[in-house]
Amino acid sequence: MKKLILVRHAKSDWPEETEDFDRPLADKGLKDAMNMSRFMKSNDISIDHFVSSPAVRALNTCKIFNQTYQLNVSTEDQLYNPSERNFESVIYDLDDSVSSVALFSHNNGISNFANSISEDIFHFPTCGVAGFEIDCNSWSEFDGAKKKLLFFYEPGKI
C-alpha cells in the first residue's frame, strides 16, 4: 500500500509588480500552513517525502510543513501550473522506498487531479489536504491501482 497526500499551497498574496511564480504567502497562509501541518502530525499522518512545485507560495507551504515533519524535500517543475498528467508523471518517478508522499501544488490542477482519482467531488481551498490510499506496491502501478480517499481537511474546519 502507498499513500498519496495532495496539498494545495496556503493563501498567497499578490504584491504589485510580482510575477505569478514569485507570489509569497499571505499572513493567513503562513498561519494556516503551520496549523495544518501540526494538525496532521498530531493525528499521526505519516509522510516519508515532500515534493513541491518550485513556485514560491507552494514551496514555502512545503517548508512550513517541513518544520513539523523534518523530511527530505524535492521540487518538481511539473507541479507548477499542472495538468492531471503532470501529477501522474511525478508519481511514476517516485522511488518505491517512499511509502507516503505529499505533493504541494496549485489549483485548478490539484482539484482536477483529485477528482480524476476519486468518486468524491473536490475543490481544494488554499491549504486544503486530501489523503488517498493507493493499493499498489510500486508507484509504477499507480494508474491501475484502486484508490481510496482517507481524509480531506480544510484549514477553516480543523
Side-chain angles (χ1 to χ4, degrees):
M1 288 290 188
K2 301 288 188 186
K3 191 170 7 169
L4 173 66
I5 298 167
L6 301 175
V7 184
R8 181 180 175 197
H9 67 77
K11 182 78 177 152
S12 59
D13 203 356
W14 203 324
E16 283 186 48
E17 315 256 336
T18 302
E19 295 293 325
D20 179 70
F21 187 90
D22 297 320
R23 290 171 50 202
L25 291 177
D27 290 344
K28 180 184 184 333
L30 296 168
K31 183 178 155 215
D32 285 351
M34 185 56 70
N35 289 342
M36 183 63 77
S37 64
R38 289 177 179 164
F39 172 82
M40 290 175 60
K41 184 80 168 181
S42 69
N43 282 280
D44 297 321
I45 296 170
S46 64
I47 305 172
D48 299 331
H49 187 64
F50 288 149
V51 183
S52 178
S53 156
V56 170
R57 60 195 180 277
L59 188 54
N60 284 347
T61 301
C62 179
K63 287 176 178 178
I64 290 168
F65 271 66
N66 205 34
Q67 290 173 12
T68 303
Y69 277 90
Q70 304 291 308
L71 302 173
N72 289 324
V73 174
S74 59
T75 58
E76 182 54 65
D77 290 344
Q78 293 182 85
L79 292 178
Y80 178 64
N81 205 8
S83 70
E84 292 151 44
R85 293 282 173 238
N86 291 66
F87 286 94
E88 291 173 358
S89 178
V90 171
I91 290 165
Y92 290 137
D93 284 345
L94 292 169
D95 190 281
D96 286 332
S97 66
V98 173
S99 295
S100 178
V101 66
L103 304 181
F104 293 78
S105 191
H106 310 262
N107 250 356
N108 291 318
I110 199 165
S111 290
N112 292 343
F113 178 66
N115 287 320
S116 77
I117 64 171
S118 176
E119 305 280 319
D120 301 273
I121 303 297
F122 290 99
H123 179 75
F124 277 71
T126 51
C127 210
V129 180
F132 298 89
E133 183 177 76
I134 314 299
D135 189 5
C136 64
N137 294 315
S138 170
W139 291 108
S140 65
E141 302 166 345
F142 178 82
D143 190 37
K146 185 177 177 195
K147 298 154 188 83
K148 175 184 165 189
L149 178 69
L150 298 174
F151 56 82
F152 182 63
Y153 301 132
E154 300 178 48
K157 296 181 180 177
I158 59 169

